[in-house]
């Protein structure tokens, strides 16, 4: 499409264009955003982006929908963020508006925008400036039926992306409040893998804050059972072992199923792994019978990289305690030559895995929603 | 003039002092009972009496009628009742506190804040009396007047906790936390309710599993009995729980013994049945009980052990093992069948009759 055609198309993307032409134009644009070239073409064009943003306020529902879906597709490209970020205040208010019919689309768009760290900061800043705290976002997320017309599952990945920033993690982990606790039940939310994955991603990111590990593992939050429950199957353990497990993992019914999405299983294992970084955390994780669950998972697991994650975790759980001075594995200083060797070994391992797999590395967990 | 007045005063004082030294002060305390009299003066009372008798205690009755004067506004009266209730509450006299708060509410004063407090305080008193449902209805009333009254919400959550309504307890906590996200009691209570809820779920799962296991054990047992062609005496099934269509003829109620020991027939690790067996000696009204009679063991072997030494009630010294005849009774047919003591229990049980 050359410059003249583009300008012509742009001409139709106005609020006061005749409805049928407008509808066709937006439909066409949506189709364009479905292809990589189309996206590259449009993502870098502020004029198109602004036009589409304006059209989200159109009277025709079809036009609004198409505009949102186009924007969602375009927002995958970081180049579009500069323009789109200007609209953040409006988008955020629409997200939290319980009557807004297109809250789901806004949600997905925000989730895409927040993926990139720079834009993520802008999202957070806009939230501050508009007086829309993280508390409200969590509240909306955890309120069933908050918006009758929108399921708001994509708030999950939005939260997960926001926890890239230490400030948001601090807020979620505020001991004097009850925020992270409200997210925990969603690790089992069957109706939406997006919501579930988003929550688990959020929790995993929070696990990087090792200062909070003891609190997270304490009865006040009790994070561990919620991470292990999706990984546990219907296996029966002898009574003595069963009583060692956390309450939520005891006497699971014979129809208990494990988390179906392997990427989510991997994230859960990563979160548990992070909790074993400190000595105190490691102790607590071991005490609660984590090994039993991960052992059974390893035997059941068929995905190679999840299996690898299982193995790594098992090694930590049954291995010896590290020497004094290495209590916090996240803070240990690895000497350069050792670092190099370890990286080399990792690369070797990966190469071997790929050879046996004969398929490329798996796609990154979809917190980027795409619309067709 | 002044000098004369001064002198008159001095004279009066002098005569007063003279008299005082000889005459007793008329209105003074009686030396024997001065402590009781002291306690009767409202100002010096340490505790107020439970009932105020105007005859005994006119001063106190007077004060009471001033405080509770009907001429004061409903708000003032309600406030007084509230304070009275609070005092009783502090003394842990919750029953009286409830009464006071109720009186306060009866005034139907127009100060809704005050009424909300009266409801909430009464709820607290009811809570400590263990009347959780009454307390809940009071906090609900309080919240109708003042939806954001945190104390009412906290009390409500605690009530639900006591009533083991864990999801409701958590919901109330979350409502309260929307108003004050850092309210410590609410954060704690929510965590507690969550823990208790999850423990309750675990207990339910455990019980269900246990029931399933027992059920399948019973089925295995019944199958074993049926395989051996043992006829069971059908006890009319009092309850509706038949096991399954296939085993419908045999109700398990008959299998659990209502004998004194409460033992049951069971399948041992080798796949053999062991039955509780009761021996009756009608001549002397005596019994013997074997709790686990292995189906492959013979009667004669047991009898030889049981009567190795003759029992004390055997006055005629005749119950030697070789002398004994054993019968079992089919109660339905009211028939007795003799059994061969060389037989095993299984053979006897399989008696065709």
């Amino acid at each position: 499409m050359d410059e003249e055609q583009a300008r012509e198309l742009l001409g139709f993307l106005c609020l006061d264009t005749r409805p049928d032409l407008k509808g066709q134009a937006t439909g066409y644009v949506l189709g364009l955003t479905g292809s990589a070239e189309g996206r590259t073409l449009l993502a870098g064009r502020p004029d198109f982006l602004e036009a589409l943003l304006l059209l989200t306020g159109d009277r025709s529902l079809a036009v609004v929908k198409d505009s949102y879906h186009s924007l969602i597709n375009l927002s995958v490209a970081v180049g579009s963020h500069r323009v789109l970020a200007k609209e953040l205040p409006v988008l955020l208010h629409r997200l939290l508006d319980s009557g807004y019919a297109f809250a789901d689309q806004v949600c997905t768009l925000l989730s895409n925008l927040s993926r990139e760290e720079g834009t993520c900061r802008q999202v957070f800043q806009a939230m501050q400036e508009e007086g829309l705290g993280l508390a409200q976002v969590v509240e909306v997320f955890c309120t069933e039926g908050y918006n009758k017309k929108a399921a708001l599952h994509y708030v999950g990945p939005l939260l997960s992306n926001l926890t890239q920033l230490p400030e948001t993690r601090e807020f979620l982990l505020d001991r004097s409040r009850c925020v992270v606790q409200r997210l925990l039940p969603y690790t089992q939310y069957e109706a939406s893998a997006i919501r579930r994955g988003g929550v688990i991603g959020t929790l995993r990111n929070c696990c990087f804050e090792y200062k909070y590990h003891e609190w997270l593992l304490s009865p006040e939050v009790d994070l561990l059972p919620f991470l292990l429950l999706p990984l546990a199957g219907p296996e029966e353990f002898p009574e003595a072992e069963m009583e060692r497990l956390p309450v939520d993992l005891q006497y699971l019914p014979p129809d208990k199923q494990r988390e179906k999405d392997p990427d989510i299983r991997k994230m859960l294992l990563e979160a548990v792994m992070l909790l074993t970084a400190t000595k105190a955390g490691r102790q607590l994780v071991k005490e609660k019978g984590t090994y039993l669950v991960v052992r059974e998972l390893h035997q059941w697991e068929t995905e190679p990289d999840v299996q690898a994650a299982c193995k790594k975790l098992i090694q930590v759980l049954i291995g010896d305690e590290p020497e004094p001075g290495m209590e916090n594995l996240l803070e240990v200083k690895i000497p350069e030559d050792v670092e190099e060797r370890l990286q080399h070994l990792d690369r070797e391992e990966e190469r071997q895995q790929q050879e046996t797999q004969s398929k490329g590395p798996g796609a990154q967990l979809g917190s980027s929603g795409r619309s067709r | 003039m002044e000098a004369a007045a001064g002198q008159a005063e001095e004279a009066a004082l002098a005569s007063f002092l003279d008299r005082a030294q000889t005459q007793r002060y008329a209105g003074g305390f009686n030396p024997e009972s001065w402590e009781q009299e002291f306690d009767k003066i409202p100002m010096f009372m340490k505790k107020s009496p439970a009932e105020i008798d105007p005859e005994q205690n006119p001063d106190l009755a007077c004060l009471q009628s001033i405080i509770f004067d009907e001429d004061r506004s409903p708000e003032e009266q309600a406030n007084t009742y509230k304070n009275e209730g609070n005092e009783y509450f502090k003394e842990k006299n919750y029953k009286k506190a409830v009464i006071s708060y109720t009186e306060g509410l009866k005034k139907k004063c127009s100060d809704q804040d005050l009424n909300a407090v009266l409801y909430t305080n009464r709820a607290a008193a009811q809570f400590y009396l263990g009347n959780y449902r009454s307390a809940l209805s009071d906090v609900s009333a309080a919240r109708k007047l003042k939806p954001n009254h945190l104390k009412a919400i906290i009390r409500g959550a605690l009530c639900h906790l006591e009533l083991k309504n864990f999801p409701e307890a958590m919901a109330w906590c979350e409502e309260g936390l929307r108003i004050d996200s850092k309210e410590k009691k609410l954060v704690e209570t929510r965590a507690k309710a969550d823990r208790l809820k999850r423990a309750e779920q675990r207990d339910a799962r455990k019980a269900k599993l246990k029931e399933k296991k027992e059920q399948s054990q019973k089925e295995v047992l019944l199958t074993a009995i049926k395989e051996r062609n043992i006829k069971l005496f059908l006890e009319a099934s009092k309850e509706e729980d038949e096991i399954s269509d296939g085993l419908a003829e045999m109700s398990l109620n008959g299998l659990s013994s209502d004998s004194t020991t409460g033992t049951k027939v069971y399948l041992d690790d080798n796949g053999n049945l062991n039955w509780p067996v009761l021996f009756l000696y009608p001549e002397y009204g005596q019994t013997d009980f074997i709790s686990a009679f292995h189906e492959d063991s013979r009667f004669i072997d047991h009898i030889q052990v049981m009567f190795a030494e003759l029992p004390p009630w055997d006055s005629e010294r005749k119950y030697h093992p070789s002398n004994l005849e054993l019968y079992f009774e089919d109660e339905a047919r009211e028939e007795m069948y003799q059994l061969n003591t060389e037989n095993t229990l299984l053979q006897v049980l399989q008696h065709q009759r």
Side-chain angles (χ1 to χ4, degrees):
Chain A
M1 190 166 69
D2 63 23
E3 187 52 34
E4 215 188 289
Q5 288 173 313
R7 252 200 283 274
E8 204 186 324
L9 179 57
L10 187 59
F12 289 117
L13 297 174
C14 292
L15 285 168
D16 41 0
T17 308
R18 225 174 74 194
D20 56 339
L21 292 173
K22 210 182 350 176
Q24 280 187 15
T26 48
Y28 183 69
V29 170
L30 179 57
L32 274 181
T33 63
S35 75
E37 302 102 5
R39 281 196 292 277
T40 323
L41 172 71
L42 295 173
R45 294 197 62 136
D47 45 6
F48 269 89
L49 294 170
E50 278 161 6
L52 287 168
L53 282 170
L54 272 176
L55 286 175
T56 60
D58 197 81
R59 262 190 297 180
S60 151
L61 296 181
V63 168
V64 174
K65 248 197 182 162
D66 281 351
S67 305
Y68 269 125
H69 289 169
S70 307
L71 287 167
I72 287 171
N73 288 348
L74 292 173
S75 62
V76 172
V78 181
S80 66
H81 289 194
R82 198 177 47 84
V83 175
L84 295 178
K86 289 191 236 164
E87 195 74 356
L88 281 172
V90 173
L91 292 173
L92 287 166
H93 280 288
R94 284 177 180 169
L95 174 69
L96 298 176
D97 179 351
S98 58
Y100 190 62
F102 297 96
D104 267 340
Q105 283 80 358
V106 170
C107 202
T108 313
L109 179 55
L110 283 169
S111 154
N112 281 1
L113 287 172
S114 56
R115 199 117 180 272
E116 199 273 316
E117 194 181 330
T119 326
C120 184
R121 257 179 227 291
Q122 285 183 291
V123 173
F124 190 60
Q125 209 178 347
M127 281 171 67
Q128 312 276 71
E129 283 165 11
E130 297 298 309
L132 301 168
L134 210 54
Q136 271 173 284
V137 176
V138 173
E139 178 70 38
V140 164
F141 187 56
C142 297
T143 306
E144 186 87 25
Y146 175 81
N147 185 325
K148 304 271 181 295
K149 303 195 183 133
L152 297 177
H153 293 316
Y154 273 91
V155 175
L158 173 59
L159 270 176
S160 171
N161 291 344
L162 286 171
T163 51
Q164 286 178 73
L165 310 170
E167 311 87 274
T168 53
R169 294 198 290 269
E170 293 280 330
F171 175 79
L172 285 180
L173 298 174
D174 189 339
R175 275 171 241 245
S176 61
R177 291 173 204 270
C178 178
V179 195
V180 70
Q181 293 92 329
R182 296 191 68 186
L183 297 174
L184 298 177
Y186 290 99
T187 62
Q188 289 275 97
Y189 191 78
E190 284 184 7
S192 163
I194 301 285
R195 183 178 280 251
R196 205 166 63 238
V199 165
I200 292 171
T202 308
L203 294 173
R204 186 210 43 191
N205 288 354
C206 287
C207 286
F208 276 97
E209 301 290 325
Y210 57 85
K211 290 199 182 67
Y212 290 90
H213 283 184
E214 270 189 84
W215 176 68
L216 286 171
L217 291 166
S218 79
E220 288 179 66
V221 183
D222 210 9
L223 174 59
L224 190 64
F226 292 95
L227 295 175
L228 293 179
L229 194 50
L231 298 172
E235 290 84 22
E236 263 190 62
F237 298 109
E239 186 146 347
E241 289 187 347
M242 187 74 94
E243 300 280 325
R244 257 185 74 204
L245 291 171
V247 158
D248 306 83
L249 286 133
Q250 291 183 14
Y251 304 105
L252 293 174
D255 55 0
K256 171 75 176 62
Q257 299 210 331
R258 289 189 166 88
E259 167 61 59
K260 291 191 168 53
D261 186 327
D263 287 325
I264 297 184
R265 289 201 296 273
K266 192 156 169 236
M267 274 204 293
L268 289 165
L269 288 167
E270 284 169 1
V272 180
M273 187 68 137
L274 284 166
L275 290 170
T276 60
T278 63
K279 189 181 176 75
R282 206 159 41 243
Q283 195 58 36
L284 287 166
V285 170
K286 280 188 193 177
E287 267 170 19
K288 292 176 198 259
T290 308
Y291 170 69
L292 287 172
V293 178
V294 185
R295 180 191 73 196
E296 295 301 314
L297 173 64
H298 187 227
Q299 288 180 357
W300 171 93
E301 184 61 64
T302 50
E303 288 290 322
D305 41 354
V306 188
Q307 272 178 339
C310 281
K311 255 174 72 179
K312 273 198 208 158
L313 181 52
I314 289 178
Q315 276 172 359
V316 171
L317 293 173
I318 60 177
D320 294 324
E321 281 295 302
E323 297 155 14
M326 305 231 291
E327 271 92 29
N328 186 341
L329 299 175
L330 285 174
E331 281 194 327
V332 169
K333 288 215 178 322
I334 308 178
E336 249 187 65
D337 57 333
V338 178
E339 171 99 43
E340 250 186 62
R341 257 194 298 138
L342 285 173
Q343 281 185 351
H344 178 75
L345 283 172
D346 274 340
R347 283 196 291 273
E348 269 299 306
E349 209 184 302
E350 251 188 68
R351 201 174 50 77
Q352 281 178 359
Q353 259 192 11
Q354 283 186 1
E355 277 172 9
T356 53
Q357 270 185 53
S358 73
K359 75 174 181 185
Q364 228 178 354
L365 175 63
S367 51
S368 60
R370 291 273 174 93
S371 297
R372 320 256 158 266
Chain B
M1 284 320 281
E2 271 184 31
Q7 274 175 353
E9 271 177 32
E10 268 190 49
L13 186 61
S15 74
F16 173 73
L17 285 173
D18 283 338
R19 267 184 295 133
Q21 279 171 345
T22 49
Q23 272 185 352
R24 304 223 58 209
Y25 171 57
F29 289 138
N30 184 323
E32 265 84 73
S33 64
W34 74 267
E35 270 147 342
Q36 287 106 301
E37 293 182 57
F38 199 74
D39 272 338
K40 276 194 182 174
I41 299 176
M43 175 105 94
F44 298 117
M45 276 182 183
K46 299 235 179 64
K47 275 185 354 166
S48 60
E51 288 299 321
I52 298 175
D53 181 1
E55 310 259 313
Q56 286 270 333
N57 239 311
D59 302 326
L60 205 54
C62 268
L63 282 173
Q64 192 180 44
S65 70
I66 294 175
I67 298 174
F68 290 101
D69 185 7
E70 288 297 316
D71 287 342
R72 297 161 79 234
S73 75
E75 286 74 24
E76 284 178 323
Q77 292 186 58
N79 206 45
T80 310
Y81 278 118
K82 180 197 83 172
N83 291 332
E84 187 186 56
N86 290 352
E87 287 300 315
Y88 281 132
F89 194 98
K90 275 193 217 145
E91 293 169 17
K92 298 198 199 300
N93 195 336
Y94 301 119
K95 282 211 171 95
K96 287 250 171 92
V98 169
I99 295 172
S100 303
Y101 295 133
T102 308
E103 288 299 312
L105 284 165
K106 275 195 197 156
K107 295 296 162 188
K108 294 198 194 297
C109 76
S110 55
D111 183 351
Q112 299 296 51
D113 278 352
L114 179 55
N115 286 331
V117 171
L118 281 165
Y119 274 120
T120 308
N121 291 5
R122 190 169 73 175
Q126 294 281 38
F127 180 85
Y128 286 108
L129 287 170
N131 302 334
Y132 303 117
R133 291 190 203 281
S134 308
L136 262 179
S137 101
D138 275 344
V139 288
S140 301
R143 289 191 69 196
K144 277 213 183 83
L145 299 174
K146 259 186 98 179
N148 291 350
H149 195 47
L150 263 181
K151 281 197 173 151
I153 297 175
I154 297 173
R155 183 61 54 196
L158 291 171
C159 285
H160 277 302
L161 197 64
E162 293 299 318
L163 290 168
K164 300 200 192 305
N165 302 336
F166 303 123
E168 284 88 336
M170 285 172 70
W172 279 63
C173 287
E174 280 164 17
E175 271 191 67
L177 286 167
R178 259 172 243 144
I179 299 166
D180 176 2
S181 59
K182 291 198 176 199
E183 219 298 321
K184 208 166 155 218
K185 191 79 190 151
L186 287 174
V187 173
E188 274 173 23
T189 307
R190 187 192 178 278
K192 192 169 173 195
D194 191 48
R195 272 201 303 279
L196 289 172
K197 178 185 85 174
R198 285 149 57 200
E200 195 183 58
Q201 287 170 338
R202 187 276 311 261
D203 292 338
R205 291 197 299 268
K206 191 173 177 182
K208 199 165 169 200
L209 207 68
K210 190 168 166 218
E211 201 190 297
K212 256 187 82 181
K213 277 222 167 90
E214 283 179 359
Q215 188 65 1
S216 73
Q217 273 174 352
K218 276 187 183 170
E219 285 181 6
V220 166
L221 191 58
L222 273 179
T223 312
I225 291 173
K226 218 181 164 201
E227 277 172 0
R228 288 158 171 70
N229 264 320
I230 296 172
K231 270 200 239 171
L232 288 183
F233 170 53
L234 286 177
E235 195 177 293
S237 178
K238 291 178 199 120
E239 289 125 31
E240 290 305 309
D241 47 285
E242 295 292 336
I243 315 313
S244 65
D245 284 332
L247 302 171
E249 320 99 60
M250 296 187 263
S251 160
L252 280 169
N253 296 326
L255 277 184
S256 54
S257 153
D258 27 341
S259 78
T260 43
T261 55
T263 50
K264 293 196 237 189
V265 57
Y266 68 91
L267 201 63
D268 66 23
D269 293 334
N270 296 324
N272 291 122
L273 289 175
N274 289 263
W275 298 78
V277 177
L278 185 66
F279 288 82
L280 300 159
Y281 313 112
E283 188 180 12
Y284 288 100
Q286 293 288 336
T287 61
D288 267 329
F289 182 71
I290 295 182
S291 53
F293 194 131
H294 192 288
E295 63 181 353
D296 289 333
S297 55
R298 303 180 308 161
F299 276 90
I300 187 70
D301 296 323
H302 281 279
I303 291 170
Q304 280 172 346
V305 170
M306 284 153 68
F307 290 91
E309 274 184 27
L310 294 179
W313 44 261
D314 180 15
S315 43
E316 292 175 35
R317 282 8 241 143
K318 61 189 179 187
Y319 278 69
H320 295 284
S322 43
N323 280 351
L324 297 176
E325 282 176 356
L326 268 64
Y327 300 83
F328 72 87
E329 183 184 0
D330 183 335
E331 289 181 42
R333 303 206 187 136
E334 294 181 349
E335 294 253 0
M336 299 275 271
Y337 298 93
Q338 184 173 14
L339 55 96
N340 182 346
T341 52
E342 304 267 329
N343 281 349
T344 63
L345 177 61
L346 179 59
Q347 288 168 321
V348 171
L349 286 171
Q350 287 172 327
H351 192 290
Q352 282 309 305
R353 57 191 184 281

